[in-house]
Amino acid sequence: GAVVSQHPSWVICKSGTSVKIECRSLDFQATTMFWYRQFPKQSLMLMATSNEGSKATYEQGVEKDKFLINHASLTLSTLTVTSAHPEDSSFYICSARAGGGMGNQPQHFGDGTRLSIL
Amino acid sequence: EDKVVQSPLSLVVHEGDTVTLNCSYEVTNFRSLLWYKQEKKAPTFLFMLTSSGIEKKSGRLSSILDKKELFSILNITATQTGDSAVYLCAVIAGGTSYGKLTFGQGTILTVHP
């Protein structure tokens, strides 16, 4: 159980393009989804927290107009990197958490999306 | 600011060895500590620890939490090459109901045949 699917797994595109990444919880309803960025040999850096039906909460230093997050249903969240530039190249990972309450449940991660901007 | 520190940052052992990975934390309003294993892709969930002194076990892996001293350890016995990975410790803390994770830097474990 607790499977999270992320798509695509790898994207290469030209500078200026917008890229959409999907994150789906396959066998549970995810009230909260999280988007992370990971640089080589570094740990995960939280970008934003997304609750179904409400606006995402962005971490300090993350541009909300650059990284658009939509969480329209209990099983799907999307991250759109708008007008991507080479410095946006990174490994993006989503996670999903079931249930509400005090948030004390484990997050389950998708397989990540490697984004390369030329 | 919440802080999670793992040690060692990297570790090289031979198959059959036992390893202990450490995670200490300084956070406001601690809720839970989680261990994840990350190989080439995204992290896979290992353990979630909420109470002090209760060992969680899964095969050759085990973990325990000490809420008084603010740390956790992850033990792996009889290591195998397939245990080579980055092991991440993360803490859920704070007053939000969103369950945000704060990650440590990770420990890179390499197991040689």
Side-chain angles (χ1 to χ4, degrees):
Chain A
V3 178
V4 176
S5 170
Q6 191 172 336
H7 178 81
S9 56
W10 202 345
V11 180
I12 302 174
C13 59
K14 290 183 182 176
S15 189
T17 310
S18 290
V19 178
K20 183 190 272 191
I21 303 169
E22 290 188 351
C23 181
R24 291 179 188 272
S25 56
L26 296 186
D27 53 359
F28 66 101
Q29 292 190 324
T31 51
T32 308
M33 288 183 167
F34 303 83
W35 288 95
Y36 295 86
R37 187 170 177 176
Q38 187 175 33
F39 292 102
K41 304 204 175 180
Q42 292 189 27
S43 193
L44 280 73
M45 183 190 79
L46 180 66
M47 297 174 67
T49 302
S50 165
N51 280 285
E52 184 263 339
S54 62
K55 285 186 181 178
T57 303
Y58 289 81
E59 294 300 298
Q60 198 170 3
V62 178
E63 298 174 58
K64 55 183 73 173
D65 294 333
K66 174 80 174 169
F67 299 100
L68 299 178
I69 291 170
N70 184 280
H71 190 164
S73 79
L74 284 171
T75 58
L76 174 65
S77 175
T78 60
L79 168 69
T80 302
V81 183
T82 60
S83 186
H85 291 286
E87 58 266 27
D88 299 322
S89 298
S90 192
F91 190 51
Y92 292 88
I93 310 174
C94 74
S95 71
R97 182 180 65 82
M102 299 304 285
N104 209 30
Q105 296 91 11
Q107 291 178 28
H108 298 278
F109 288 83
D111 278 343
T113 297
R114 192 158 302 282
L115 176 62
S116 297
I117 309 297
L118 305 176
Chain B
E1 190 182 328
D2 294 340
K3 199 191 309 187
V4 178
V5 177
Q6 290 184 246
S7 65
L9 292 181
S10 67
L11 192 52
V12 180
V13 299
H14 289 282
E15 270 193 321
D17 289 349
T18 292
V19 297
T20 298
L21 310 184
N22 303 293
C23 176
S24 63
Y25 59 91
E26 288 178 35
V27 300
T28 304
N29 195 12
F30 172 89
R31 299 234 180 97
S32 303
L33 185 144
L34 294 88
W35 285 97
Y36 288 89
K37 177 183 181 182
Q38 185 175 23
E39 296 173 89
K40 288 184 181 166
K41 294 187 176 179
T44 52
F45 172 71
L46 296 175
F47 298 112
M48 182 170 181
L49 303 154
T50 308
S51 303
S52 245
I54 298 173
E55 186 185 49
K56 293 223 173 173
K57 207 166 161 61
S58 175
R60 296 176 293 103
L61 276 68
S62 63
S63 183
I64 198 160
L65 174 68
D66 185 329
K67 287 166 76 173
K68 187 180 173 189
E69 301 296 330
L70 309 182
F71 78 91
S72 172
I73 59 172
L74 174 69
N75 274 325
I76 308 175
T77 58
T79 52
Q80 302 171 357
T81 54
D83 295 326
S84 297
V86 177
Y87 289 84
L88 295 166
C89 171
V91 170
I92 299 176
T96 176
S97 63
Y98 297 144
K100 189 168 93 169
L101 286 173
T102 301
F103 279 91
Q105 325 91 300
T107 294
I108 303 171
L109 175 64
T110 305
V111 182
H112 287 309

